[in-house]
Amino acid sequence: MEYTSTEAAKLLRRLNEEHEALLEEENQSKMFHAALGEDVESVRPEYHYEEMQEKLAELERKIRIVKHSINLFNLTQEIPDFHMTIDQMLIYLPQLTAKKNKLNWMARRLPKQRENFGGFGGSSNVIDYQYTNYDIDKVKKDYAEVSEELARAQTALDFINNTQKMEIEL
């Protein structure tokens, strides 16, 4: 069956949730307590070991297939205009975000800022200034360019994830 990356991610999430629910069901039914004198069979929860293991193994097989298909798609699907694959884009986006955050901090600095150092007692009469050692206007320009590039990259990735299909046979 064909899936977009977004659809495959939702399928993977659903399979993982089913697996988690089965594990929880197993944890609640594989052991039980009965009081002394209580009829053990009347409080025994329904649990079939072999059947549960088969269900878990089948879900794990499907999870492996879907994860592998997503990984292959990410390794081979190129994003037009960026000349990189999705897996490279997934590295590039956090790099751009970090750069944007750094530039944002740098752009908000004043050319000269007063710093108070409290010393050991918490106060001092010494006035110290911190000076920027870069062109703030250039940083603001770079910040705008990086912000635009980040938005463009995210949009390109979203487009691919919602339009390009991969084959997944479960």
Side-chain angles (χ1 to χ4, degrees):
M1 192 166 174
E2 287 193 332
Y3 296 88
T4 64
S5 185
T6 301
E7 293 167 337
K10 288 177 183 177
L11 173 62
L12 180 60
R13 185 171 30 257
R14 182 180 59 77
L15 291 170
N16 279 319
E17 287 170 356
E18 285 179 32
H19 187 263
E20 197 174 300
L22 268 182
L23 286 174
E24 182 62 30
E25 179 183 327
E26 182 180 45
N27 283 335
Q28 292 178 9
S29 59
K30 67 183 176 186
M31 306 275 294
F32 68 100
H33 295 275
L36 282 177
E38 189 173 21
D39 178 21
V40 172
E41 293 309 315
S42 69
V43 294
R44 180 184 305 275
E46 179 131 349
Y47 175 67
H48 302 284
Y49 171 77
E50 293 86 4
E51 186 179 304
M52 180 62 73
Q53 301 319 300
E54 287 173 12
K55 287 179 183 178
L56 286 168
E58 178 59 15
L59 278 171
E60 290 162 357
R61 182 189 71 78
K62 289 178 180 180
I63 289 168
R64 284 192 306 274
I65 290 170
V66 173
K67 276 188 167 186
H68 179 68
S69 296
I70 291 170
N71 288 340
L72 283 177
F73 181 78
N74 289 348
L75 287 169
T76 58
Q77 182 65 50
E78 187 169 303
I79 298 175
D81 299 332
F82 285 89
H83 306 292
M84 60 178 80
T85 59
I86 290 174
D87 72 313
Q88 291 171 316
M89 181 63 82
L90 292 174
I91 297 165
Y92 185 52
L93 288 173
Q95 289 172 336
L96 282 176
T97 300
K99 186 174 185 176
K100 179 184 168 191
N101 291 339
K102 177 187 80 169
L103 292 173
N104 183 39
W105 182 87
M106 291 175 72
R108 291 184 289 125
R109 301 294 296 174
L110 297 173
K112 176 181 169 182
Q113 284 187 213
R114 189 173 178 170
E115 297 286 323
N116 281 329
F117 291 104
F120 293 111
S123 66
S124 172
N125 292 333
V126 176
I127 297 173
D128 196 14
Y129 289 93
Q130 187 176 55
Y131 297 87
T132 57
N133 198 19
Y134 53 87
D135 181 348
I136 293 174
D137 289 332
K138 171 66 172 133
V139 169
K140 287 178 180 178
K141 180 180 174 281
D142 289 349
Y143 172 80
E145 289 173 3
V146 168
S147 295
E148 187 176 310
E149 174 78 352
L150 179 59
R152 199 170 71 82
Q154 289 168 329
T155 301
L157 179 61
D158 288 346
F159 178 77
I160 295 294
N161 283 337
N162 287 302
T163 59
Q164 298 302 309
K165 302 264 185 177
M166 69 182 89
E167 186 70 30
I168 302 176
E169 293 299 327
L170 295 177

